[in-house]
Amino acid sequence: MSDILDQLNSKQREAVEALTGPVMVIAGAGSGKTRVLTYRVAHLLNQGVDPFNILALTFTNKASREMKDRIIKLVGNADAKNVWMGTFHSVFARVLRSEAFRMGYPSHFSIYDTDDSKRLIKTIIKDQNLDDKIYSPGFVAHRISGAKSNLITAEAYNSDDEILSHDKMSGKPFLGEIYKQYKARCFRASAMDFDDLLLNTFLLLENFPDVLIRYQKKFNFILVDEYQDTNHAQYMILKKLAANDENICVVGDDAQSIYGFRGANIQNILNFKRDYPDALEFKLEQNYRSTQTIVKAANTVIVKNKDQIFKEIWTENEDGNLIELLKAQSDNEEGTLVANSIFETKMNSHVPDSAFAVLYRTNAQSRSIEEALRRLNIPYRIYGGLSFYNRKEIKDLLAYFRLSINNKDEEALKRVINYPARGIGKTTQENIIVIADKADKSLWEVIEEPHQNGLDLNSGTQGKISAFVTMIKSFSAQVKTKSAFDLAKLIAHSSAIMKDLNEDKTPEGISRYQNIEELLNAIKEFTDKPKEPLPGEEAKDTTEGNSIPTLDEFMQDVALLTDADVQDKDGGDKVSLMTIHAAKGLEFPYVFIVGLEENLFPSIQSLGSRADLEEERRLFYVALTRAEKRVTISFAENRYRWGNLTLCEPSRFIDEIDNKYIAFPKRASFQKTAQTGSFSLPSPVMTRKNLKKLGSLHKNVSGDNGSNDSQSIDKIIPGIEVEHARFGKGKVISVEGAGASKKASVFFKNVGQKQLLLQYARLRIVE
């Protein structure tokens, strides 16, 4: 093992060798965080620790798989597969399936995804005769999720006067009742949502001391990845599990805590030494990823945050290029500049498209980038779009799988009871739901014995429902006897989904059919793999009949996939487009960060408190540190928001980067070259002093082309001809309002009539 540890630098090695007691490893960007976790587990195994006594928690299944593979290679021992390693949700789902009976759930409970939860909430809102504009399903789902992340049960929510008073004052007094009904309906359907996997694990440990003691004794060593991203529920579960031995090692970087909107609490990592006063702290400050320019520039930004664990990230890598700053007149020109820069770098440096990533604060910003890339025939892929497992046809077939495994899964049943169409109409479905609600029974119980439950049906409908129930029961009977692939294929054909999709010969229909084929291929691959034991299980003899991978096991994996695990499979040599949140944990040689404007990045929602603004700064820090060789940041002087052209102020984050690390802006001349059809770029002409002038709403920063001052605005009257930088020449039709609210309706020859706010429109009067 000494040879293995020799592969670590001194700080990494110190962190790996400190095996007992509480340990916090502050791992800067690109400093080898995963390496420390991997070697630490390997070192524990080589020291004779039983793998069944090691709990290693990550935030993606991909991370845990890669770590486990690397550990096996390091120790050369297949026994390493028995380490309890996985995401918080996957590991605690395993625990809950073993202990579910204590909480009144079956071990085969369903796991509702976000869409399932929102559909159920929408149904409850409708049943309660509430306005879905006031109680929007998305808002209510977020509210319930926030409560669960803070370990507030439905009962606690409805007995807390402060919470109820807040809801009443905000005009949503029935949130507590919706939460109560939501919990009851999930329980009736034998279903938990993602937040329940944590909340119920905490309640299990809290309410059943024997279970807590058993798992405390079992998990002698606990390791946690990305500790800065943990929420209150995860924090409390870890506190309980580690209470005896306190052999807990957390690894993370407070400077990369960017998920506050999901409930992550940066105080968990900032206060670790308060929770464990004798904790050892190790700082990994050497960056192996980025150039010195990028590392130093990022340091000058993040140092502005008050709430942080101070560290000085450094690197022995080359100095590298200065950070390029692109100034565009509009968001469309910004897209052109970015695409053009990618094109030029590809040609000059002979690098593939996959070397580039364009990062933005909001998904809506991708439009102008996409259009510009398409014009230059540069292939790209968007992360965070509709993932494979969220496509309708895939969710339809998965709903059949879910219902076959758990007949009480109401969201799955409602999805497929009349798909493909089998004559069980909307009225019949509504009657089933009404009867189920009155009797407090599951929908399945009602349709399984319709007459006993008072469901009055004509003979034709009765026969169709009976046939549906019989079909699902036949699938259920084979869950444990057939392989996952054999049963999935049977369900796909017997349910008539394959037939229904095959009859649609449109390109969209063919694509949907092919997606089902791809799902079956994935299940076949799952079935053909040797069956690995679940955490805590001994490996089974593969000759046993129950050793075949079954459909319920496949569905457990699918239900627990994280965003990072379900990105589109559209790989290949393409530019990556994604939000900065989606980019965390990734790295690219060339990174473009677009939209560096006040109220966009930092977001306008973040300007109300220092804590929110500091999270935005950490987000910018994460964006900068994704780059290996070069960073380019850009902003637009004007951007359309809600149909209005708005003058934009450069982001404060640009000013926070030390001047010596920036090459100042370029602007497209809009002169297309005959050879490439792309726009030529003149030399940098701006200085920081001139850049700051863009922050003024009353000064003309574009010379003769602007008209922001009041005297110029007063000259714009109906009937005169004007010229707009984007729309070209046009005629003023009407003018209304006064002062900062003065607007003009202008008819442009190329784009038709537009209404413009004159303070920002910068119209030039055509003489």
Side-chain angles (χ1 to χ4, degrees), residues 479-740:
V479 167
K480 290 297 185 183
T481 59
K482 278 189 180 295
S483 73
F485 175 72
D486 289 340
L487 183 54
K489 188 176 179 182
L490 173 67
I491 293 173
H493 287 281
S494 299
S495 65
I497 282 183
M498 296 293 278
K499 180 176 181 293
D500 182 70
L501 293 176
N502 195 38
E503 289 174 351
D504 184 353
K505 299 302 182 183
T506 65
E508 294 78 13
I510 293 170
S511 176
R512 287 191 287 268
Y513 185 86
Q514 290 171 340
N515 285 336
I516 293 293
E517 285 188 320
E518 177 60 26
L519 174 61
L520 292 175
N521 289 339
I523 299 173
K524 177 63 173 172
E525 183 180 352
F526 171 82
T527 304
D528 288 346
K529 271 194 209 172
K531 184 175 177 182
E532 290 189 9
L534 300 178
E537 285 186 343
E538 298 286 353
K540 295 177 182 176
D541 187 343
T542 55
T543 60
E544 292 180 14
N546 64 353
S547 66
I548 57 169
T550 54
L551 190 60
D552 57 331
E553 292 166 347
F554 174 79
M555 287 302 294
Q556 286 179 35
D557 286 350
V558 169
L560 293 163
L561 291 175
T562 65
D563 292 345
D565 299 314
V566 295
Q567 295 293 357
D568 280 331
K569 299 180 180 181
D570 182 18
D573 186 21
K574 298 181 180 181
V575 175
S576 296
L577 274 57
M578 67 187 80
T579 64
I580 302 167
H581 284 100
K584 187 168 177 294
L586 303 178
E587 56 188 47
F588 302 89
Y590 302 92
V591 169
F592 291 78
I593 312 169
V594 300
L596 262 293
E597 299 141 29
E598 287 292 300
N599 300 329
L600 179 57
F601 194 17
S603 164
I604 192 170
Q605 286 84 10
S606 71
L607 303 181
S609 71
R610 181 172 59 81
D612 289 342
L613 180 59
E614 290 198 353
E615 177 154 323
E616 284 289 292
R617 188 175 286 114
R618 292 193 294 269
L619 190 62
F620 183 51
Y621 176 82
V622 166
L624 287 172
T625 55
R626 297 312 91 201
E628 298 169 359
K629 293 185 177 181
R630 193 181 77 202
V631 172
T632 304
I633 57 181
S634 65
F635 67 95
E637 296 177 274
N638 301 279
R639 189 176 296 272
Y640 272 89
R641 293 180 181 171
W642 306 106
N644 292 317
L645 188 65
T646 305
L647 182 68
C648 302
E649 178 183 356
S651 170
R652 68 190 71 192
F653 296 151
I654 298 175
D655 200 45
E656 290 179 359
I657 301 174
D658 194 300
N659 190 42
K660 62 187 175 185
Y661 301 122
I662 298 180
F664 282 94
K666 301 176 180 181
R667 169 174 285 184
S669 65
F670 287 89
Q671 300 287 324
K672 285 193 176 181
T673 63
Q675 290 83 3
T676 67
S678 60
F679 296 104
S680 63
L681 297 173
S683 300
V685 294
M686 288 295 289
T687 65
R688 183 180 292 278
K689 182 178 179 182
N690 288 333
L691 180 65
K692 286 184 176 179
K693 289 182 181 179
L694 290 170
S696 170
L697 297 181
H698 303 291
K699 291 187 178 180
N700 174 14
V701 280
S702 294
D704 296 335
N705 291 332
S707 60
N708 288 343
D709 59 275
S710 58
Q711 289 184 349
S712 298
I713 290 175
D714 288 341
K715 293 178 183 178
I716 296 176
I717 58 177
I720 68 169
E721 287 194 5
V722 294
E723 185 173 15
H724 185 273
R726 180 177 179 185
F727 302 138
K729 292 183 179 180
K731 186 173 183 179
V732 178
I733 306 299
S734 64
V735 178
E736 60 183 55

Side-chain angles (χ1 to χ4, degrees), residues 300-329:
T300 64
V301 172
I302 201 63
V303 75
K304 309 292 193 301
N305 272 6
K306 182 179 178 182
D307 287 340
Q308 64 171 302
I309 299 170
F310 181 78
K311 52 195 167 298
E312 186 69 30
I313 307 302
W314 58 277
T315 183
E316 293 179 344
N317 294 340
E318 63 182 1
D319 288 344
N321 296 321
L322 293 177
I323 293 174
E324 284 194 41
L325 181 59
L326 303 179
K327 183 186 73 169
Q329 184 171 340

